[in-house]
Amino acid sequence: QTCALPILCWVCLGVFVLINLVGQLGGCILILLQKHVRIACGILFFIVVLQVSQHYLKYYIYLFFI
């Protein structure tokens, strides 16, 4: 049971990094190509919200598994 928390944190971190990478690169490429600019701005806004809320999400996951 003590091993589940570090594994879950690494999985969440990996998912966060992948979403962040794909979202930022995809959104920037769409804006540079001037294709689907509104959708790209929405994606980039979502990434900013995700980065801000990541700290709180990590805290709630920690509290949930204690």
Side-chain angles (χ1 to χ4, degrees):
Q1 186 178 9
T2 59
C3 186
L5 184 62
I7 293 171
L8 180 65
C9 287
W10 278 107
V11 169
C12 289
L13 180 64
V15 170
F16 172 76
V17 167
L18 285 176
I19 290 173
N20 198 3
L21 176 71
V22 171
Q24 283 189 12
L25 287 178
C28 290
I29 289 170
L30 285 174
I31 289 176
L32 288 174
L33 294 175
Q34 297 179 356
K35 304 283 184 183
H36 308 288
V37 174
R38 291 182 126 186
I39 295 172
C41 288
I43 291 171
L44 291 173
F45 180 74
F46 170 74
I47 294 298
V48 169
V49 171
L50 185 68
Q51 288 175 350
V52 170
S53 64
Q54 183 262 343
H55 172 72
Y56 298 109
L57 181 65
K58 182 174 58 174
Y59 177 71
Y60 289 132
I61 288 174
Y62 179 74
L63 286 180
F64 182 73
F65 283 99
I66 284 185

XYZ file of all heavy atoms in Angstrom:
531
model
N 0.829 -1.200 0.000
C 0.000 0.000 0.000
C 0.872 1.263 0.000
O 0.499 2.266 -0.570
C -0.911 -0.012 1.216
C -1.897 1.129 1.215
C -2.820 1.069 2.426
O -2.612 0.289 3.324
N -3.830 1.890 2.424
N 2.021 1.216 0.606
C 2.882 2.397 0.610
C 3.536 2.622 -0.750
O 3.978 3.714 -1.036
C 3.975 2.263 1.687
O 4.743 1.097 1.416
C 3.364 2.180 3.067
N 3.596 1.595 -1.579
C 4.228 1.721 -2.887
C 3.300 2.368 -3.914
O 3.762 2.862 -4.935
C 4.657 0.344 -3.372
S 5.603 0.374 -4.888
N 2.012 2.382 -3.687
C 1.057 2.887 -4.673
C 1.171 4.393 -4.865
O 1.016 4.883 -5.981
C -0.362 2.518 -4.259
N 1.448 5.130 -3.815
C 1.490 6.585 -3.930
C 2.618 7.084 -4.833
O 2.358 7.887 -5.730
C 1.571 7.228 -2.548
C 1.525 8.752 -2.532
C 0.203 9.247 -3.108
C 1.706 9.274 -1.134
N 3.860 6.626 -4.681
C 4.905 7.103 -5.591
C 4.649 6.713 -7.047
O 4.893 7.502 -7.949
C 6.186 6.453 -5.073
C 5.909 6.152 -3.652
C 4.434 5.844 -3.585
N 4.136 5.508 -7.271
C 3.844 5.080 -8.641
C 2.750 5.950 -9.228
O 2.849 6.393 -10.379
C 3.454 3.589 -8.662
C 4.656 2.728 -8.288
C 2.905 3.183 -10.030
C 4.331 1.276 -8.080
N 1.713 6.229 -8.458
C 0.627 7.072 -8.934
C 1.126 8.479 -9.229
O 0.741 9.087 -10.233
C -0.498 7.123 -7.892
C -1.708 7.963 -8.263
C -2.414 7.368 -9.469
C -2.658 8.080 -7.103
N 2.003 9.001 -8.404
C 2.560 10.338 -8.637
C 3.378 10.373 -9.920
O 3.291 11.336 -10.683
C 3.405 10.778 -7.446
S 2.419 11.208 -6.005
N 4.174 9.328 -10.189
C 4.967 9.302 -11.419
C 4.073 9.179 -12.644
O 4.348 9.796 -13.680
C 5.971 8.155 -11.380
C 7.199 8.511 -10.605
C 7.542 8.046 -9.373
C 8.229 9.415 -11.000
N 8.727 8.610 -8.973
C 9.175 9.455 -9.959
C 8.436 10.200 -12.129
C 10.314 10.246 -10.019
C 9.575 10.992 -12.196
C 10.495 11.008 -11.143
N 3.011 8.396 -12.540
C 2.069 8.269 -13.661
C 1.382 9.606 -13.923
O 1.276 10.051 -15.075
C 1.038 7.148 -13.389
C -0.084 7.184 -14.407
C 1.723 5.798 -13.393
N 0.924 10.261 -12.866
C 0.277 11.567 -13.025
C 1.251 12.594 -13.598
O 0.876 13.402 -14.453
C -0.276 12.060 -11.693
S -1.709 11.153 -11.131
N 2.493 12.555 -13.164
C 3.497 13.469 -13.679
C 3.755 13.219 -15.159
O 3.850 14.158 -15.950
C 4.795 13.334 -12.885
C 5.946 14.235 -13.313
C 5.578 15.697 -13.085
C 7.207 13.860 -12.578
N 3.836 11.963 -15.542
C 4.052 11.631 -16.954
C 2.898 12.078 -17.828
O 3.104 12.631 -18.917
N 1.675 11.871 -17.360
C 0.499 12.316 -18.111
C 0.490 13.838 -18.210
O 0.204 14.399 -19.278
C -0.791 11.776 -17.450
C -2.025 12.417 -18.049
C -0.859 10.267 -17.583
N 0.811 14.503 -17.122
C 0.858 15.967 -17.121
C 1.881 16.483 -18.127
O 1.604 17.404 -18.892
C 1.187 16.470 -15.713
C 1.438 17.946 -15.643
C 0.385 18.840 -15.704
C 2.732 18.436 -15.533
C 0.612 20.206 -15.644
C 2.969 19.791 -15.477
C 1.902 20.677 -15.535
N 3.067 15.883 -18.153
C 4.119 16.327 -19.065
C 3.702 16.098 -20.517
O 3.909 16.962 -21.372
C 5.453 15.616 -18.737
C 6.472 15.812 -19.830
C 5.993 16.112 -17.411
N 3.103 14.951 -20.807
C 2.676 14.674 -22.180
C 1.574 15.622 -22.638
O 1.621 16.138 -23.762
C 2.211 13.222 -22.301
C 3.321 12.182 -22.318
C 2.734 10.777 -22.337
C 4.228 12.386 -23.505
N 0.571 15.846 -21.789
C -0.504 16.774 -22.147
C 0.061 18.174 -22.338
O -0.302 18.884 -23.287
C -1.609 16.761 -21.071
C -2.349 15.437 -21.108
C -2.579 17.915 -21.266
C -3.346 15.257 -19.983
N 0.970 18.571 -21.467
C 1.584 19.887 -21.552
C 2.380 20.029 -22.857
O 2.258 21.024 -23.568
C 2.488 20.098 -20.342
C 2.829 21.532 -20.112
O 2.376 22.418 -20.805
N 3.659 21.764 -19.114
N 3.191 19.030 -23.170
C 4.023 19.076 -24.368
C 3.179 19.117 -25.636
O 3.359 19.984 -26.492
C 4.951 17.859 -24.394
C 5.836 17.710 -25.634
C 6.918 18.775 -25.618
C 6.449 16.337 -25.677
N 2.256 18.199 -25.760
C 1.416 18.128 -26.961
C 0.538 19.364 -27.072
O 0.369 19.924 -28.161
C 0.574 16.831 -26.948
C -0.450 16.834 -28.064
C 1.481 15.620 -27.059
N -0.022 19.813 -25.964
C -0.891 20.982 -25.990
C -0.169 22.247 -26.394
O -0.651 23.017 -27.228
N 1.001 22.471 -25.816
C 1.737 23.695 -26.143
C 2.269 23.675 -27.569
O 2.138 24.657 -28.306
C 2.889 23.900 -25.163
C 2.431 24.411 -23.831
C 3.596 24.819 -22.941
O 4.728 24.933 -23.389
N 3.308 25.033 -21.672
N 2.877 22.562 -27.968
C 3.407 22.495 -29.330
C 2.290 22.535 -30.362
O 2.382 23.253 -31.367
C 4.249 21.226 -29.508
C 5.601 21.223 -28.823
C 6.301 19.889 -29.041
C 6.466 22.353 -29.330
N 1.233 21.771 -30.122
C 0.114 21.762 -31.061
C -0.558 23.120 -31.175
O -0.846 23.589 -32.280
N -0.797 23.760 -30.042
C -1.426 25.071 -30.058
C -0.566 26.114 -30.753
O -1.059 26.909 -31.557
N 0.729 26.098 -30.481
C 1.633 27.065 -31.120
C 1.738 26.828 -32.622
O 1.746 27.774 -33.408
C 3.016 26.993 -30.487
S 3.051 27.623 -28.809
N 1.801 25.579 -33.034
C 1.886 25.273 -34.463
C 0.608 25.708 -35.176
O 0.660 26.293 -36.266
C 2.177 23.777 -34.675
C 3.616 23.469 -34.267
C 1.938 23.357 -36.123
C 3.947 21.994 -34.213
N -0.549 25.439 -34.556
C -1.808 25.856 -35.179
C -1.885 27.375 -35.319
O -2.361 27.891 -36.331
C -2.996 25.342 -34.367
C -3.308 23.850 -34.505
C -4.417 23.454 -33.536
C -3.697 23.519 -35.924
N -1.410 28.094 -34.318
C -1.446 29.559 -34.393
C -0.466 30.066 -35.443
O -0.782 30.970 -36.223
C -1.176 30.181 -33.006
C -2.382 29.942 -32.103
C -0.878 31.665 -33.114
C -2.216 30.405 -30.691
N 0.730 29.491 -35.502
C 1.701 29.920 -36.509
C 1.211 29.637 -37.927
O 1.486 30.399 -38.851
C 3.051 29.242 -36.269
C 3.829 29.736 -35.051
C 5.065 28.881 -34.836
C 4.217 31.195 -35.224
N 0.500 28.529 -38.100
C -0.059 28.203 -39.413
C -1.365 28.948 -39.694
O -1.889 28.856 -40.801
C -0.305 26.693 -39.525
C 0.932 25.803 -39.510
C 0.535 24.340 -39.504
C 1.820 26.111 -40.701
N -1.876 29.640 -38.696
C -3.142 30.375 -38.781
C -4.300 29.458 -39.164
O -5.164 29.790 -39.962
C -3.031 31.547 -39.752
C -2.033 32.573 -39.304
C -1.892 33.729 -40.283
O -2.490 33.730 -41.337
N -1.100 34.717 -39.890
N -4.307 28.282 -38.574
C -5.374 27.304 -38.755
C -6.039 27.068 -37.409
O -5.364 26.812 -36.420
C -4.828 25.966 -39.272
C -4.038 26.063 -40.539
C -4.951 26.221 -41.716
C -4.126 26.216 -42.996
N -4.937 26.433 -44.160
N -7.335 27.168 -37.373
C -8.109 26.902 -36.151
C -7.556 27.689 -34.970
O -7.260 27.139 -33.901
C -8.119 25.411 -35.823
C -8.542 24.542 -36.961
N -9.844 24.497 -37.393
C -7.854 23.710 -37.765
C -9.938 23.656 -38.397
N -8.738 23.170 -38.656
N -7.421 28.982 -35.132
C -6.786 29.828 -34.121
C -7.600 29.854 -32.831
O -7.032 29.811 -31.734
C -6.558 31.251 -34.675
C -6.032 32.176 -33.593
C -5.602 31.207 -35.848
N -8.930 29.882 -32.947
C -9.749 29.897 -31.725
C -9.567 28.618 -30.916
O -9.464 28.656 -29.685
C -11.222 30.070 -32.081
C -11.546 31.428 -32.620
C -13.011 31.511 -32.890
N -13.506 32.679 -32.187
C -14.767 33.006 -32.097
N -15.680 32.243 -32.652
N -15.134 34.085 -31.458
N -9.524 27.495 -31.594
C -9.319 26.222 -30.903
C -7.928 26.191 -30.275
O -7.756 25.743 -29.130
C -9.510 25.047 -31.882
C -10.964 24.991 -32.355
C -9.100 23.731 -31.238
C -11.218 23.995 -33.458
N -6.928 26.677 -31.002
C -5.561 26.694 -30.476
C -5.456 27.575 -29.243
O -4.772 27.221 -28.270
C -4.592 27.167 -31.559
N -6.127 28.726 -29.259
C -6.116 29.595 -28.071
C -6.799 28.913 -26.894
O -6.353 29.038 -25.743
C -6.801 30.915 -28.387
S -5.823 31.977 -29.462
N -7.867 28.185 -27.166
C -8.536 27.431 -26.106
C -7.634 26.360 -25.519
O -7.603 26.144 -24.305
N -6.888 25.682 -26.385
C -5.948 24.653 -25.912
C -4.868 25.281 -25.040
O -4.540 24.763 -23.965
C -5.324 23.909 -27.115
C -6.381 23.056 -27.814
C -4.147 23.047 -26.672
C -5.915 22.467 -29.129
N -4.318 26.398 -25.495
C -3.266 27.056 -24.708
C -3.803 27.585 -23.382
O -3.109 27.526 -22.355
C -2.622 28.173 -25.523
C -1.781 27.698 -26.712
C -1.340 28.869 -27.555
C -0.594 26.897 -26.236
N -5.038 28.085 -23.382
C -5.653 28.526 -22.127
C -5.837 27.344 -21.184
O -5.574 27.447 -19.979
C -6.991 29.212 -22.401
C -7.680 29.682 -21.159
C -7.234 30.794 -20.476
C -8.771 28.985 -20.657
C -7.852 31.216 -19.317
C -9.396 29.396 -19.505
C -8.944 30.512 -18.834
N -6.277 26.198 -21.725
C -6.429 24.991 -20.910
C -5.091 24.573 -20.309
O -5.027 24.159 -19.149
C -7.018 23.856 -21.757
C -6.980 22.524 -21.081
C -7.851 22.233 -20.057
C -6.053 21.570 -21.461
C -7.819 20.994 -19.420
C -6.005 20.344 -20.843
C -6.888 20.056 -19.816
N -4.010 24.689 -21.072
C -2.683 24.315 -20.570
C -2.272 25.233 -19.414
O -1.712 24.775 -18.413
C -1.642 24.356 -21.708
C -1.946 23.282 -22.753
C -0.234 24.185 -21.178
C -1.897 21.870 -22.239
N -2.561 26.514 -19.534
C -2.235 27.447 -18.447
C -3.015 27.087 -17.186
O -2.459 27.029 -16.083
C -2.511 28.904 -18.873
C -2.426 29.841 -17.690
C -1.543 29.334 -19.957
N -4.303 26.810 -17.345
C -5.130 26.415 -16.191
C -4.611 25.110 -15.597
O -4.546 24.951 -14.378
C -6.614 26.302 -16.605
C -7.454 25.683 -15.506
C -7.158 27.665 -16.996
N -4.228 24.177 -16.447
C -3.696 22.900 -15.973
C -2.405 23.097 -15.186
O -2.196 22.471 -14.151
C -3.449 21.972 -17.161
C -3.007 20.555 -16.838
C -4.140 19.793 -16.161
C -2.571 19.847 -18.097
N -1.536 23.988 -15.663
C -0.281 24.232 -14.954
C -0.518 24.881 -13.596
O 0.161 24.564 -12.627
C 0.626 25.119 -15.805
C 1.201 24.414 -16.997
C 1.999 25.346 -17.889
O 1.978 26.564 -17.718
N 2.705 24.786 -18.847
N -1.486 25.779 -13.526
C -1.778 26.438 -12.252
C -2.409 25.451 -11.275
O -2.077 25.426 -10.088
C -2.695 27.659 -12.481
C -3.207 28.208 -11.163
C -1.950 28.729 -13.255
N -3.308 24.614 -11.776
C -4.023 23.701 -10.885
C -3.222 22.445 -10.573
O -3.627 21.667 -9.710
C -5.358 23.313 -11.505
O -5.156 22.590 -12.690
N -2.103 22.230 -11.221
C -1.310 21.028 -10.994
C -0.838 20.935 -9.553
O -0.824 19.861 -8.968
C -0.119 21.013 -11.957
C 0.742 19.781 -11.868
C 1.978 19.960 -11.008
O 2.387 21.068 -10.697
N 2.560 18.876 -10.608
N -0.480 22.052 -8.972
C -0.020 22.046 -7.579
C -1.139 21.569 -6.652
O -0.914 20.735 -5.777
C 0.456 23.430 -7.168
C 0.766 23.538 -5.705
N 1.870 22.945 -5.142
C 0.103 24.138 -4.691
C 1.873 23.186 -3.842
N 0.818 23.913 -3.544
N -2.336 22.081 -6.847
C -3.459 21.701 -5.997
C -3.880 20.259 -6.238
O -4.237 19.547 -5.312
C -4.632 22.645 -6.233
C -4.298 24.068 -5.867
C -4.127 25.036 -6.844
C -4.125 24.441 -4.539
C -3.803 26.337 -6.513
C -3.791 25.738 -4.197
C -3.634 26.680 -5.192
O -3.303 27.947 -4.860
N -3.802 19.808 -7.477
C -4.151 18.431 -7.793
C -3.203 17.464 -7.099
O -3.621 16.450 -6.538
C -4.114 18.222 -9.308
C -4.480 16.837 -9.806
C -5.933 16.539 -9.474
C -4.242 16.729 -11.293
N -1.907 17.800 -7.105
C -0.921 16.959 -6.427
C -1.216 16.899 -4.927
O -1.116 15.843 -4.311
C 0.472 17.513 -6.697
C 1.586 16.709 -6.084
C 2.951 17.219 -6.503
C 3.136 18.662 -6.119
N 4.492 19.165 -6.373
N -1.618 18.011 -4.352
C -1.937 18.056 -2.930
C -3.156 17.188 -2.612
O -3.161 16.435 -1.648
C -2.186 19.512 -2.524
C -2.604 19.692 -1.086
C -1.703 19.486 -0.053
C -3.909 20.053 -0.768
C -2.082 19.653 1.266
C -4.295 20.217 0.546
C -3.387 20.018 1.555
O -3.774 20.180 2.852
N -4.203 17.255 -3.455
C -5.414 16.473 -3.205
C -5.170 14.982 -3.406
O -5.716 14.154 -2.685
C -6.554 16.938 -4.095
C -7.091 18.298 -3.696
C -7.283 19.291 -4.641
C -7.390 18.588 -2.376
C -7.760 20.539 -4.288
C -7.862 19.827 -1.997
C -8.050 20.796 -2.966
O -8.513 22.014 -2.604
N -4.329 14.611 -4.372
C -3.994 13.195 -4.548
C -3.250 12.688 -3.320
O -3.503 11.596 -2.829
C -3.161 12.995 -5.828
C -4.043 13.182 -7.045
C -2.514 11.618 -5.854
C -3.285 13.161 -8.359
N -2.354 13.511 -2.798
C -1.609 13.106 -1.606
C -2.547 12.911 -0.418
O -2.444 11.937 0.323
C -0.546 14.168 -1.300
C 0.272 13.855 -0.066
C 1.234 12.863 -0.084
C 0.075 14.562 1.121
C 1.979 12.566 1.032
C 0.812 14.279 2.249
C 1.762 13.275 2.195
O 2.494 12.984 3.312
N -3.502 13.834 -0.238
C -4.450 13.705 0.871
C -5.363 12.502 0.709
O -5.735 11.857 1.680
C -5.294 14.979 0.993
C -4.597 16.197 1.579
C -5.577 17.371 1.626
C -4.070 15.910 2.961
N -5.725 12.190 -0.541
C -6.632 11.083 -0.796
C -6.030 9.750 -0.415
O -6.705 8.856 0.059
C -7.061 11.084 -2.270
C -8.021 10.010 -2.631
C -9.332 10.077 -2.220
C -7.606 8.916 -3.360
C -10.232 9.087 -2.546
C -8.478 7.908 -3.700
C -9.801 8.003 -3.284
N -4.725 9.608 -0.614
C -4.084 8.320 -0.373
C -3.392 8.205 0.981
O -2.711 7.239 1.245
C -3.079 8.018 -1.493
C -3.751 7.556 -2.738
C -3.979 8.450 -3.768
C -4.184 6.257 -2.870
C -4.610 8.045 -4.916
C -4.828 5.842 -4.006
C -5.042 6.738 -5.031
N -3.558 9.196 1.835
C -2.974 9.092 3.186
C -3.937 8.394 4.110
O -5.058 8.451 4.094
C -2.566 10.460 3.725
C -1.291 10.882 3.062
C -2.385 10.431 5.226
C -0.696 12.160 3.583
